[in-house]
Amino acid sequence: MTRAASMVGETWWYESLPLASAWGELVFLEPWGLLGLAAPVALLALSLVRRSTRESFLGTARFFEADVQGSEGQARRSVPAWLIVAMVALLLGTLALARPGAPPEPLSGVVIDLVVDQSPSMFHPVRRSDPGGPRRIDVAVEAFRAWAERYEAENATPVLVRLSSSEPSSWRAVTAPALTSGSAGDLPMVSRAEPLWAAFDRPGFVWITDRAIPSNERKHAGLFASGGESLPGPIAAGPAGSIDWLADGTTSFRVGGAEAGKVFIGPRVPESLVQLMRLWAADRGLAEVNAEASAEASAEASAETGGDARSADLRLTRSPPPEDGSFTVVESRRVGRDGWEATVSEVFGAATDGRVTPWWVDSDGRVLVGAGIGEIRVGFGGFSEPPDDPAAFAVSWIGLFDRMRPVPQGVLPPEERVAAGSPVSAPPQRLPVLPPPPPAAEDSQRIRPDRLAALLRSVLAGSAALLGLLAVALLALATDRRPERRR
């Protein structure tokens, strides 16, 4: 059997072979190169025109030449061998120039890393006149979603979104509630500061915020900002009164402030930290809850029941040693930060979680102090040697107390009160692409089209070069023989 098989439906048996399948997947990556197919035709036409012109110049003499040379004249009127070889070389070179190859594999999708501003202003309405209207975070997220939908439609490429280190997922799952832990009423209004944008200025990143970021601070990342009007309200409050931010950008002092804040100091906290916090609280006009209970047992009972401790705005406590024994107690360790050093004793490590993060860590990774809004945990027993720089030590800890103290309800810093300006939609310019999925197990035996295409291009180019040299040699040989025949 010449075809060695039968036909099933409309498909011949050889189409299922690996080689035939690979051939069928090849395309011309540079189809403009096929314009070179006109070169062999032009060369043949030029040769025929020159021969016709030469015969017209000979006139009737060509009949005598044909009688004398006989069959040699017939051979001369046929297409010379060098011309045939040259045309084949041009044909193969043209095919090589068109670059046969495998078509680009379909993209799995472009990946975008979202950085979402969850500072307090993001949960306020865009317009003061519409208190129940869309919040800034809703408007910014919706602008990003609209762009992602257009991008998918125009580029036929899925847009995948990644938050932190999570796996990429469809942009359709991106909504304001999904990006935050709740509404404005559910969020601690100062638990999330505005991101440090410079750390996320990379290709493939998109910032979701409410105000435009200066161009000198954003070179690679995309930006979707909601804009928004100013937010009049208190920017500071205390027992004596509050300072209000007005719509025109000015401030005013209002007598009669909020209730004085409270602090709680737990048992077995190092004495130097106890004294420092009491001095700080007195300077800030804060009261120490359960201050009259000087007995340790009474303080422990209060901490366990949570009565007085929970009512405090800021709690300074000693963290219990880890129950899993992940760290052994170290007698002493010389550790420092912020320009000071101190020797701490009985180091066991402070417990941390999603709300309390490390603030002071030793060289072995033990968390000496963990801090979060409203709470500071100490993971060592005390100071066996005082700090080498008491002033730097005091400034460092007082700064920590100030940052961890919750702002009174409704109080926002001035940068959160000012107008956010107009909306901004600046899509990212470069987007990373997810690699295509690995081939299935049944495809491992197939001949890869890209390898076959590379081999084909090499064969075409090499053959064209060799045939071109052969055509030049044949032309030179034919030129040398022509005078001999005339003699």
Side-chain angles (χ1 to χ4, degrees), residues 37 78 81 136 161-162 194 244 262 286 298-299 309 336 339 353 383-384 389 393 404 410-411 420 465 470 482-483 485:
L37 292 175
S78 63
R136 297 182 180 187
V161 173
R162 180 167 51 201
E194 186 171 310
D244 293 340
K262 302 174 183 178
L286 306 176
S298 176
D353 48 38
F383 294 95
S384 56
D389 189 339
F393 176 83
M404 296 304 110
V411 174
L470 179 59
R482 191 173 301 159
R485 288 198 302 268

Side-chain angles (χ1 to χ4, degrees), residues 109-294:
V110 295
V111 185
I112 293 176
D113 289 275
L114 277 188
V115 183
V116 183
D117 180 3
Q118 296 191 48
S119 59
S121 62
M122 292 294 291
F123 302 95
H124 284 267
V126 175
R127 287 182 289 274
R128 295 192 308 271
S129 58
D130 187 12
R135 303 174 301 173
R136 297 182 180 187
I137 190 171
D138 299 319
V139 173
V141 168
E142 194 55 41
F144 166 76
R145 287 169 53 85
W147 168 81
E149 183 175 11
R150 291 194 305 271
Y151 185 93
E152 282 191 342
E154 295 172 0
N155 298 275
T157 303
V159 174
L160 304 179
V161 173
R162 180 167 51 201
L163 297 172
S164 300
S165 59
S166 61
E167 291 297 320
S169 59
S170 172
W171 61 267
R172 292 173 177 81
V174 176
T175 59
L179 296 175
T180 65
S181 60
S183 63
D186 300 330
L187 285 172
M189 296 304 287
V190 294
S191 64
R192 292 172 177 83
E194 186 171 310
L196 183 61
W197 297 116
F200 305 103
D201 188 18
R202 299 195 292 273
F205 277 70
V206 168
W207 302 347
I208 302 293
T209 184
D210 57 351
R211 65 190 73 247
I213 308 295
S215 57
N216 62 336
E217 298 180 19
R218 184 182 63 86
K219 300 183 184 302
H220 305 287
L223 172 68
F224 291 90
S226 65
E229 300 175 355
S230 61
L231 303 171
I235 57 176
S242 64
I243 300 177
D244 293 340
W245 179 275
L246 304 181
D248 58 2
T250 61
T251 59
S252 66
F253 180 76
R254 178 159 44 93
V255 179
E259 179 185 356
K262 302 174 183 178
V263 296
F264 174 80
I265 303 175
R268 298 192 298 277
V269 173
E271 184 62 25
S272 57
L273 298 182
V274 172
Q275 297 300 327
L276 188 58
M277 181 172 229
R278 284 174 176 166
L279 290 173
W280 169 80
D283 183 72
R284 301 295 189 268
L286 306 176
E288 182 182 350
V289 299
N290 203 27
E292 68 279 2
S294 57

Side-chain angles (χ1 to χ4, degrees), residues 319-320 322 327 348-352 356 366-370 377-380:
S319 177
F327 285 124
F348 49 80
T352 57
V356 177
R366 293 180 176 86
V367 180
L368 304 179
V369 177
R377 300 173 185 171
V378 179
F380 59 94

